[in-house]
Amino acid sequence: MIDPTSIVLKRFPWLNEEADVVFASSGRTVRQFQAHEDILSTQWPAPGVYAICSGFACRYAVLANGQRQIMGFVLPGDLCDPRAAVFDRVDYSVAALRPVEAVLVPSDYFSTLTGSSASFLRSLWRVTAIDDAIDRQWLLNIGQRNALERIAHLLCELYTRLQAVGLADQQGCNFPLTQTELAEATALSTVHVNRVLMELRHLGLISLRRQRLTIHDDDGLRTVAGFSPDYLSARELRKPGTGRTLPASIALVSS
Amino acid sequence: MIDPTSIVLKRFPWLNEEADVVFASSGRTVRQFQAHEDILSTQWPAPGVYAICSGFACRYAVLANGQRQIMGFVLPGDLCDPRAAVFDRVDYSVAALRPVEAVLVPSDYFSTLTGSSASFLRSLWRVTAIDDAIDRQWLLNIGQRNALERIAHLLCELYTRLQAVGLADQQGCNFPLTQTELAEATALSTVHVNRVLMELRHLGLISLRRQRLTIHDDDGLRTVAGFSPDYLSARELRKPGTGRTLPASIALVSS
DNA sequence: CGGGACGTTGAATTGCGTCAAGTTTTGTGG
DNA sequence: CCACAAAACTTGACGCAATTCAACGTCCCG
C-alpha cells in the first residue's frame, strides 16, 4: 500500500511549500469511494476539499427529466472542488466513476491557509482558472463541434491531462470511462458515441478496448478535434503589484 | 451625465466597504467602448478589471472555422473579468455588444486589495462562484435542453439578472440583443432562433420588439425553461474557520 | 430616400436520436 | 475453473429537430 501522503505531494505539482505541509499533515485522512458513490453532493455540506489520488470522478448535474450532464472529469491530481473551502455547499455533485481514493483536507485548514498564505492563494486561483478554462472548452465543444470533433476533443483533453500527472505514456493511457459516460459528457446519445468511436478507429486514429485507450495518430486526432492544449496549462501569473499605495484604511496587511 | 462613481457604488451591491473606497478612488478612470469593440482580448494583456456601468457585453471564443460561441453575457454591475487581477492574460475575449461604459480598476489596486482584505477576497470568490455557476447552467442549457427550452432559459436568466441591478421592471426590460447574438449564445442557427421566438410569442409568453422584451407570463416562461433562479444568487459562505491551528510556519497572518 | 443590418418565412436536407435486437465483456458465486 | 447474470458494446432501420439555402420584408440611420 502506497503512502497517500507521498502520492499527494507527487501528484500536485502546483502546490507550494506551505501547502505541502498542510496536505502532508492532513494526508492521513484518506477516504475511499466506490464507483457511483457521490463524493460531494448538493444535498449535504462539503466537509472540505478532496484531493484525488487515484480513480476517475466527474462533476455532474441532473435535469428535471432525469437526463444527466457530466460537466467535467476529475482526475488524479485534481482538487474537487476548491470552492468547498469557502462555501458550505456546492451547486453540483461529484461522483466517483470508478473506485476513488482521495485525501480530505478539512475546510478549516484550507481556508486558514488561503487567508494567510498569499502564494498558496495564487496557486489556488491558478488551479481554479484552469478548471474554468476547461469548462469553457466544454461549452465550445458541445456548442460548436460536431460529434466526431467533440469525442476527439474529449479524448485529447483526457489524454493530455493524464500525461501531465504521469498516468499516460506515448502509446496511450488507461481509460475506464464507458460509452454511456462519454455520451453524458458530450451531450450525445450512446448509440452515436459508439458510431463515432467506430469511425475514429476506422480512421486509424485510436484503439479503445478493455479500458485501454491507444493513440495511433496523435497529430491526426488533434487535427480532427481542433485541439490545442494551451488552455490546460497555467497562464502567466501577473507579477505581484509594484505596490501602488492604497488608502490607509485598506492596507490592513501589506505583504 | 451621471457620476460614474455613484453608478459603481450603486450597481455593485456585493462590494464591501474597503472595496467601495478603491472603486470610488479609481472611479475616475471611465472608459467607453463602441459596439463590437473588444474590451478584453486574448491578443493583449488585460490592463485590469473592468466594472460595467452601462451597456451589454459578452464573453466569446471563435473556432478555427470562424464560428463564434458566446459563453456568457456581461451586464451592468458585473466584473469582466475578476481573474484579470491575478493573471496577465485572459483566455477568451470580451466584446461590447452595444456601447459600453466601464470603470477600469487597475490590477495593482485590485491585487493589493485581494492580498490584504480577506473580506474583499471572500466577496470576490463569491462573485466568481456565481459566474461559474452561470457557466455551468449554459453547459446544461446547450447540452440537454431543446431549442425552445434553451431560448426561454436564456431570457429568464437575463431578465432575472437585469432585475437584480434595477434594469428591469415587472413588465419586462430593455433587450438590445440581436437574434444572431442569441443564436451564438445558444448554439442554434439564427433561423431557428427566429422560429422559436415566434413560438414563444404565439404561446403568449413574451413580446420582443424594438429592443424591448416584455414578459407576459413569467411563470409560464420559467416552466417552459425549467428555470430556477437559485444559481444566480450567492450561496452560503462558510463561516470563517473556528481556528484549528496550523503549523507555525504556515500561520503567517491569522485573522 | 437609399442601403445595410436585422428579421421573417418556406422548402429541402441532414446529423443525430430513438427504438429494437443482438453480441461481447465483466463480475459474482459455486 | 465454470455458470450465469448484468453491464457494456454493436448494428440496422426509421424519425425528427434543427440546419441550410434562398428569397423577401422591415426597420433604422445617414
Side-chain angles (χ1 to χ4, degrees), chain B residues 148 193-205:
Chain B
L148 190 72
V193 166
N194 183 280
R195 286 195 244 266
V196 166
L197 286 176
M198 284 294 173
E199 190 175 348
L200 288 173
R201 283 189 265 245
H202 290 145
L203 288 170
L205 300 176

Side-chain angles (χ1 to χ4, degrees), chain A:
Chain A
M1 175 78 188
I2 310 168
D3 171 24
T5 302
S6 72
I7 298 178
V8 171
L9 294 182
K10 180 170 143 216
R11 282 277 155 73
F12 295 81
W14 51 268
L15 283 177
N16 55 27
E17 284 170 30
E18 300 110 292
D20 279 358
V21 179
V22 170
F23 270 68
S25 64
S26 69
R28 278 146 210 126
T29 315
V30 177
R31 287 208 44 189
Q32 317 281 147
F33 298 91
Q34 300 165 12
H36 307 122
E37 189 180 351
D38 272 350
I39 298 174
L40 296 177
S41 167
T42 54
Q43 307 294 103
W44 65 72
V49 175
Y50 285 103
I52 307 289
C53 299
S54 68
F56 279 38
C58 72
R59 304 184 286 116
Y60 72 92
V62 281
L63 234 48
N65 59 18
Q67 295 172 103
R68 179 164 87 154
Q69 173 72 49
I70 292 181
M71 309 205 267
F73 290 108
V74 189
L75 308 181
D78 291 335
L79 296 178
C80 85
D81 140 39
R83 265 181 282 276
V86 179
F87 301 102
D88 272 327
R89 296 193 167 263
V90 289
D91 65 350
Y92 54 84
S93 299
V94 178
L97 295 169
R98 307 259 106 201
V100 159
E101 189 177 59
V103 176
L104 174 60
V105 183
S107 307
D108 288 354
Y109 264 13
F110 224 89
S111 56
T112 307
L113 193 59
T114 54
S116 61
S117 161
S119 66
F120 178 61
L121 185 64
R122 292 173 88 77
S123 297
L124 206 60
W125 270 80
R126 188 177 352 180
V127 171
T128 59
I130 293 176
D131 281 351
D132 295 345
I134 293 174
D135 283 355
R136 281 189 292 274
Q137 277 293 330
W138 277 48
L139 193 62
L140 253 186
N141 212 23
I142 292 179
Q144 299 297 134
R145 289 192 246 260
N146 67 27
L148 189 73
E149 298 164 342
R150 237 183 267 185
I151 298 281
H153 197 276
L154 180 56
L155 296 183
C156 287
E157 178 201 315
L158 290 172
Y159 180 52
T160 305
R161 289 173 61 191
L162 289 171
Q163 274 185 316
V165 289
L167 292 175
D169 52 48
Q170 281 301 106
Q171 288 70 254
C173 56
N174 191 281
F175 195 86
L177 303 178
T178 68
Q179 294 186 0
T180 302
E181 286 154 358
L182 287 177
E184 290 171 327
T186 51
L188 295 167
S189 67
T190 55
V191 173
H192 206 62
V193 166
N194 183 280
R195 286 195 244 267
V196 166
L197 286 176
M198 283 295 170
E199 190 175 348
L200 288 172
R201 283 188 265 245
H202 291 144
L203 288 170
L205 300 175
I206 63 163
S207 298
L208 181 52
R209 211 183 127 71
R210 306 214 184 184
Q211 320 232 54
R212 168 84 195 170
L213 171 67
T214 309
I215 311 274
H216 294 126
D217 179 358
D218 202 3
D219 284 349
L221 190 63
R222 289 180 178 209
T223 304
V224 167
F227 179 82
S228 64
D230 309 351
Y231 71 98
L232 290 173
S233 47
R235 345 225 89 244
E236 278 305 295
L237 277 176
R238 191 184 288 284
K239 294 287 175 293
T242 48
R244 187 193 299 226
T245 47
L246 288 172
S249 65
I250 296 172
L252 308 172
V253 178
S254 36
S255 55

Side-chain angles (χ1 to χ4, degrees), chain B residues 22-37:
Chain B
V22 170
F23 270 69
S25 63
S26 69
R28 279 145 210 125
T29 316
V30 177
R31 287 208 43 189
Q32 316 282 146
F33 297 90
Q34 299 165 13
H36 306 124
E37 188 180 351

Side-chain angles (χ1 to χ4, degrees), chain B residues 83-97:
Chain B
R83 266 181 282 274
V86 179
F87 301 102
D88 273 327
R89 295 193 168 265
V90 289
D91 65 350
Y92 54 85
S93 299
V94 178
L97 295 169

